Amino acid sequence: MAEGYPPEQRDAVYRVIAERRDVRRGFRPDPVPADVLGRVLAAAHQAPSVGFSQPWDFIVITDRARRERIAALARRHRDEFAADLPGGRASAFDQLKIESILDTPVNLVVSCDRTRGGRHTLGRATQPRTADFSSVLAVANLWLAARAEGLGVGWVSFFDERELAAELGLPPHLEVIAYLCVGYVTDFAPEPELATAGWARRRPLAWAVHAEEFGRRGLPGEEPVDPLADVLAAIAPPDAEAMAAARERQDRMTKPRGSLGALEEVSVRLAGLAGACPPPLPEPACAAVFAADHGVHAQGVSPWPQEVTAQMVANFLAGGAVVNAFAAQAGAEVTVVDVGVAADLEPVPGLLPRKIARGTADFTAGPAMTRDQATAALVTGLEVARDLVAAGNRCLITGDMGIANTTASAALICAFTGADPADATGRGTGIDAATYARKIDVVCRGLSRHEPDPADPLGVLAAFGGLEHAALAGFILGAAALRVPVILDGVIAGAAALAAVALAPDALGACFAGHRGAEPGHAVTLDYLGLRPLVDLGLRLGEGTGAVLALPLVQSAARALRDVATFDSAGVADKL
Ligand SMILES: Cc1cc2nc3c(=O)[nH]c(=O)nc-3n(C[C@H](O)[C@H](O)[C@H](O)COP(=O)(O)O)c2cc1C
């Protein structure tokens, strides 16, 4: 058996991997000697390549005038990107440096020739992208060798590829793979700048390793973890010490005690959730609109055709819905998750395609979904929460879209709280008396058919739930496990929160009721959970609108705890 490297050499390999950084600041003007640059390029040239095609070329750029033209191209795309960001992200992006084209003595371009080696290049015929992958591996080698030489490398991708290719005189059959800024640096940061700046977080390795099949997450030598069980185990009660500190600070802030009303309790709960006083600002924020269709629509419980679900998804993605307008005002991002729309949706940016089924079954005829489908939707929701938090969000907002989902919500609320269907069922988008009576009857029939057991939350979700309810429950659990606040919208989110809290009672600590919707079942839910709504405007739209409206209130509560002076610090006399 071939031997591995001696320990100190092996450590050096792992060290260079761990200490390689994308560098954008602190470049020194010192030139890079030709022999050093030669070694680094030789390392790049030893990369593996599909069919040994070696599809890369390296263009070494030092000319100032050329770099200035290239920097102008990057600046234009940076500005376009910045203009498209929601407010909560835009201020963070402003602080980020995304290129060092003029700060570095050498810029390197790694290109790819997808035609090199002719038609029968081994492996490339079946997967044309393997040519690009090969050039990326050359970049990786280069990046590691540069780190070992003490050279910083920063990758810039804010380009229109053909525009850049024209500036470099690339023939049409060559593609730009990477634009790299290279130079000596004052130091290498221990962590990615984007992590230090709070833009994104490193995902734990355990989220990325699967045993045998996708979804069976587990590190080598460990049993695969059930993601739902994993999240449930991670949910813990609020931190009593941080809550006490927040209460105490509220009392010392330069204002009469209690004068911030319900916002004082919001700040205390945020501190308890974060385990810190003051808690981090709940910004940036992202609303996830979970969309799905409902078999119970066939019972005539809504005046709207089922196709409206898919049509509204398109509207959210085009930025034309109320939630988009409110989110733009509040500086939040909107992302749409298809967990069960009964139509094929075009892949567009902002849509997470996570369809589990094309809608549920009619719960008056049988369970709306199988237990496996309910579990899959829960896991989908918690993974969306994880991804949005890893992407740097500090506050999650629930949204939903699904024609007939107030009927499913009413059934869920009755099952979890024991409420009477006549008290928990509302008029949804607006229905006449006959339809309303039918809707109550549908909920009653569902309840008597399934005889739900609230101690079996998965069974209740499977019996009545929409796929969006189950996914929203998972989203809430995911937020609670990561100790990130989740602002709940109306009755659909409320029904989902009942399921989440039934699965993990401490998940309630992460939940903030954005508003009280007009559906009677929502009031029942908020009372049952003991959550005080922040906004009460008679909204009955869903989409996440009420929760987005409450975002500035939650953020203000945290900011007050952080920024407001205390009597002692400001030298203001306290009440006698
Ligand atoms: C394909 C690719 C494109 C990138 N483009 C940019 C970019 O345009 N601007 C930038 O500042 N960083 C860019 N980066 C750097 C990443 O932000 C960086 O690798 C990531 O935050 C992890 O940090 P680390 O490389 O220091 O570990 C890019 C990285 C890769 C792999």
Side-chain angles (χ1 to χ4, degrees):
M1 192 165 91
E3 296 220 337
Y5 291 167
E8 67 280 11
Q9 289 180 15
R10 198 182 54 209
D11 289 351
V13 172
Y14 287 123
R15 179 177 165 209
V16 77
I17 290 168
E19 295 184 358
R20 180 212 51 79
R21 281 279 77 76
D22 183 88
V23 183
R24 296 156 221 178
R25 295 172 200 276
F27 280 105
R28 296 155 48 94
D30 313 44
V32 181
D35 59 326
V36 176
L37 196 56
R39 283 200 295 272
V40 169
L41 289 171
H45 194 56
Q46 288 171 63
S49 58
V50 63
F52 201 32
S53 58
Q54 305 156 73
W56 47 73
D57 284 275
F58 306 109
I59 301 165
V60 181
I61 305 164
T62 52
D63 179 57
R64 172 92 194 176
R66 186 184 300 277
R67 283 187 290 134
E68 274 172 6
R69 290 195 297 277
I70 293 172
L73 296 180
R75 214 170 302 126
R76 205 182 75 229
H77 287 286
R78 184 193 203 282
D79 293 348
E80 279 171 17
F81 179 74
D84 207 32
L85 285 173
R89 284 272 180 193
S91 47
F93 183 66
D94 248 10
Q95 317 296 320
L96 295 177
K97 185 160 163 46
I98 54 100
E99 52 89 4
S100 323
I101 297 168
L102 298 173
D103 316 339
T104 47
V106 184
N107 292 184
L108 291 176
V109 169
V110 181
S111 63
C112 178
D113 179 352
R114 293 177 184 155
T115 62
R116 191 164 292 165
R119 186 168 165 191
H120 295 292
T121 298
L122 209 66
R124 199 182 61 204
T126 37
Q127 290 196 24
R129 290 193 305 159
T130 47
D132 296 18
F133 302 159
S134 307
S135 287
V136 174
L137 285 164
V139 178
N141 274 11
L142 186 158
W143 214 335
L144 293 169
R147 174 62 188 90
E149 298 279 0
L151 283 170
V153 174
W155 185 326
V156 192
S157 49
F158 282 74
F159 291 114
D160 173 278
E161 191 273 329
R162 281 296 93 187
E163 242 174 33
L164 182 57
E167 173 58 45
L168 300 168
L170 283 192
H173 63 284
L174 257 62
E175 293 263 338
V176 176
I177 294 294
Y179 192 96
L180 307 169
C181 307
V182 183
Y184 289 105
V185 289
T186 43
D187 56 13
F188 288 91
E191 284 296 325
E193 184 182 332
L194 294 186
T196 315
W199 182 268
R201 297 183 189 184
R202 191 180 293 284
R203 293 167 59 87
L205 177 62
W207 292 5
V209 182
H210 307 249
E212 309 293 344
E213 283 180 1
F214 182 85
R216 298 183 74 228
R217 289 186 165 80
L219 292 174
E222 293 178 7
E223 280 298 302
V225 273
D226 166 5
L228 184 56
D230 196 33
V231 156
L232 293 177
I235 295 172
D239 183 313
E241 224 171 280
M243 289 176 88
R247 280 206 183 92
E248 198 246 343
R249 189 174 167 82
Q250 281 287 358
D251 287 349
R252 285 191 294 116
M253 281 156 57
T254 47
K255 59 168 183 62
R257 288 188 182 85
S259 57
L260 291 183
L263 291 190
E264 294 201 6
E265 194 52 26
V266 170
S267 78
V268 168
R269 295 188 60 221
L270 287 170
L273 182 64
C277 175
L281 286 184
E283 184 179 270
C286 183
V289 182
F290 289 87
D293 278 306
H294 296 261
V296 75
H297 181 267
Q299 294 294 322
V301 288
S302 170
W304 298 87
Q306 196 168 56
E307 298 76 62
V308 171
T309 304
Q311 289 160 0
M312 279 307 292
V313 164
N315 196 16
F316 299 138
L317 292 164
V322 178
V323 70
N324 301 106
F326 285 5
Q329 182 59 40
E333 184 180 329
V334 176
T335 199
V336 183
V337 193
D338 171 14
V339 278
V341 179
D344 295 322
L345 303 179
E346 288 294 312
V348 288
L351 174 67
L352 304 183
R354 306 283 189 273
K355 203 191 291 291
I356 289 155
R358 295 172 71 90
T360 50
D362 179 354
F363 69 66
T364 62
M369 48 185 154
T370 64
R371 289 176 85 92
D372 282 351
Q373 286 174 327
T375 306
L378 277 161
V379 171
T380 297
L382 69 87
E383 284 179 350
V384 170
R386 281 178 168 182
D387 285 351
L388 291 177
V389 173
N393 290 291
R394 296 284 173 280
C395 184
L396 301 181
I397 299 172
T398 74
D400 62 87
M401 180 66 218
I403 295 299
N405 65 6
T406 57
T407 306
S409 298
L412 287 168
I413 291 165
C414 293
F416 282 119
T417 68
D420 191 296
D423 298 330
T425 309
R427 289 171 186 265
T429 50
I431 47 177
D432 59 23
T435 313
Y436 182 48
R438 185 162 59 243
K439 189 169 171 180
I440 295 174
D441 177 58
V442 162
V443 174
C444 289
R445 280 193 281 133
L447 288 166
S448 49
R449 178 175 189 109
H450 298 292
E451 296 182 347
D453 173 7
D456 171 23
L458 191 67
V460 176
L461 276 172
F464 306 110
L467 287 150
E468 80 274 44
H469 290 97
L472 278 164
F475 186 66
I476 293 165
L477 294 170
L482 294 167
R483 302 193 81 91
V484 167
V486 55
I487 308 182
L488 306 179
D489 192 39
V491 70
I492 286 84
L498 289 170
V501 168
L503 285 161
D506 287 327
L508 190 60
C511 295
F512 293 79
H515 82 132
R516 183 190 351 246
E519 282 285 296
H522 195 208
V524 170
T525 306
L526 294 177
D527 283 350
Y528 185 86
L529 293 173
L531 290 175
R532 177 173 176 159
L534 291 169
V535 171
D536 191 354
L537 297 171
L539 304 184
R540 51 181 178 81
L541 175 60
E543 302 179 1
T545 47
V548 172
L549 283 181
L551 173 64
L553 302 179
V554 176
Q555 290 170 333
S556 301
R559 188 175 281 277
L561 198 57
R562 198 191 70 169
D563 290 359
V564 173
T566 53
F567 286 111
D568 32 336
S569 76
V572 175
D574 198 352
K575 200 170 85 174
L576 292 175

